[in-house]
Amino acid sequence: MKFFRKVTSAVLVGALLTAVPISTFANEPAKKVIDYVALGDSLAAGMTPAGGMDLGYPDYLKNRFEQSQYTVDFKNFGIPGYKSTNLATDVLTRADVQTKIKEAEFITIDIGANDLLPAITDQSKIPGALSTVAVNLQTILAAIDQLNPTVKVYVMGYYNPFPYLPQAQQAVLLPLLATFNGMIEARTIANGDTFVETDTIIAEDYQTYLPNPLNIHLSKEGYQLIAKEFWKNIDKSKNEVR
């Protein structure tokens, strides 16, 4: 009886498979394969409010691509402490970075905060820091265009890293942040790329997104929110992927 049941089952399975048109499988759309490169500082790298390392916003952005049925070749070059000069040097000279840029359909960038932060305690250094970031960001974006003229580049604006400071200090800090982000946005748009604003959304809930008053790095929820803001911009053009 066991043998009979096995044979019967095999016949039934074979009949079912024969009855299903081959086109049912053949016509399933193949996932688009994309290359995504993240460039930046500790926010791209995923530094946590406790000073450790975990997932950064590029990791959550990669997940969003995958949820939208993309197969993602992902490389994150984010390095804690990186300044704009470091990233400019990488884009101009590092063969591994250049190779990935040439292959990419999408690139995200956050850079410049580590140039500006040391200058906050010495107001006389702020103009020089802003100028340095502007020059280096232009160098970075122009070099990327030379390496890959069709890649879509998204550059992040920064949020207020010190929301728990007294109001008197906020009155100085917030205009500086606006000037800094304005410069980043101007350079980005002038180069034909996309600026991604983050200040407003992070300001909606500092306790959740920046839970450690002594640390400028985002929580998991904060990084996920930043990834969502990038995705809003990327989603507009994702159907144009080669």
Side-chain angles (χ1 to χ4, degrees), residues 118-197:
I120 291 177
T121 56
D122 185 348
Q123 299 287 310
S124 66
K125 294 181 179 179
I126 289 176
L130 291 172
S131 177
T132 296
V133 176
V135 170
N136 286 331
L137 182 56
Q138 179 58 39
T139 298
I140 291 162
L141 296 177
I144 289 172
D145 282 346
Q146 287 291 320
L147 293 166
N148 187 343
T150 62
V151 68
K152 294 179 174 62
V153 181
Y154 302 82
V155 185
M156 191 189 93
Y158 284 93
Y159 52 86
N160 181 0
F162 303 114
Y164 302 102
L165 289 178
Q167 188 61 40
Q169 291 173 280
Q170 295 293 331
V172 176
L173 178 63
L174 293 179
L176 174 59
L177 179 64
T179 299
F180 183 45
N181 281 331
M183 179 274 296
I184 294 175
E185 182 176 14
R187 285 291 89 222
T188 300
I189 293 174
N191 203 70
D193 299 315
T194 302
F195 177 76
V196 179
E197 195 263 351

Side-chain angles (χ1 to χ4, degrees), residues 88-104:
T89 300
D90 282 358
V91 172
L92 290 172
T93 65
R94 276 183 57 178
D96 57 336
V97 173
Q98 292 180 336
T99 296
K100 287 299 183 181
I101 288 173
K102 289 176 182 177
E103 296 172 350

Side-chain angles (χ1 to χ4, degrees), residues 3-239:
F3 174 77
F4 177 76
R5 285 196 295 270
K6 288 181 180 179
V7 171
T8 302
S9 297
V11 170
L12 288 172
V13 170
L16 287 171
L17 289 175
T18 302
V20 176
I22 294 177
S23 61
T24 300
F25 303 101
N27 290 339
E28 290 185 1
K31 290 186 177 182
K32 290 182 179 179
V33 179
I34 63 164
D35 291 88
Y36 163 39
V37 173
L39 304 171
D41 52 31
S42 55
L43 301 181
M47 186 166 282
T48 71
M53 298 301 298
D54 203 340
L55 301 180
Y57 70 84
D59 300 284
Y60 294 112
L61 184 53
K62 170 182 174 287
N63 292 343
R64 282 186 170 268
F65 274 115
E66 292 174 337
Q67 290 165 6
S68 292
Q69 303 305 306
Y70 287 86
T71 297
V72 186
D73 186 340
F74 170 57
K75 181 62 179 179
N76 190 346
F77 288 107
I79 298 179
Y82 246 36
K83 296 183 178 182
S84 60
T85 302
N86 300 123
L87 184 54
T89 300
D90 282 358
V91 172
L92 290 172
T93 65
R94 276 183 57 178
D96 57 336
V97 173
Q98 292 180 336
T99 296
K100 287 299 183 181
I101 288 173
K102 289 176 182 177
E103 296 172 350
E105 280 80 32
F106 296 97
I107 294 175
T108 60
I109 301 172
D110 73 281
I111 202 67
N114 291 314
D115 297 79
L116 187 62
L117 287 173
I120 291 177
T121 56
D122 185 348
Q123 299 287 310
S124 66
K125 294 181 179 179
I126 289 176
L130 291 172
S131 177
T132 296
V133 176
V135 170
N136 286 331
L137 182 56
Q138 179 58 39
T139 298
I140 291 162
L141 296 177
I144 289 172
D145 282 346
Q146 287 291 320
L147 293 166
N148 187 343
T150 62
V151 68
K152 294 179 174 62
V153 181
Y154 302 82
V155 185
M156 191 189 93
Y158 284 93
Y159 52 86
N160 181 0
F162 303 114
Y164 302 102
L165 289 178
Q167 188 61 40
Q169 291 173 280
Q170 295 293 331
V172 176
L173 178 63
L174 293 179
L176 174 59
L177 179 64
T179 299
F180 183 45
N181 281 331
M183 179 274 296
I184 294 175
E185 182 176 14
R187 285 291 89 222
T188 300
I189 293 174
N191 203 70
D193 299 315
T194 302
F195 177 76
V196 179
E197 195 263 351
T198 67
D199 185 33
T200 302
I201 55 165
I202 296 300
E204 291 177 359
D205 190 350
Y206 284 125
Q207 290 186 337
T208 297
Y209 305 134
L210 279 170
N212 185 352
L214 302 178
N215 192 292
I216 66 174
H217 296 96
L218 297 166
S219 64
K220 174 182 176 180
E221 293 80 8
Y223 283 126
Q224 289 174 333
L225 190 64
I226 296 296
K228 182 180 178 181
E229 292 305 300
F230 272 99
W231 182 251
K232 286 179 182 178
N233 288 278
I234 291 172
D235 193 42
K236 297 174 184 177
S237 59
K238 64 184 175 63
N239 292 325

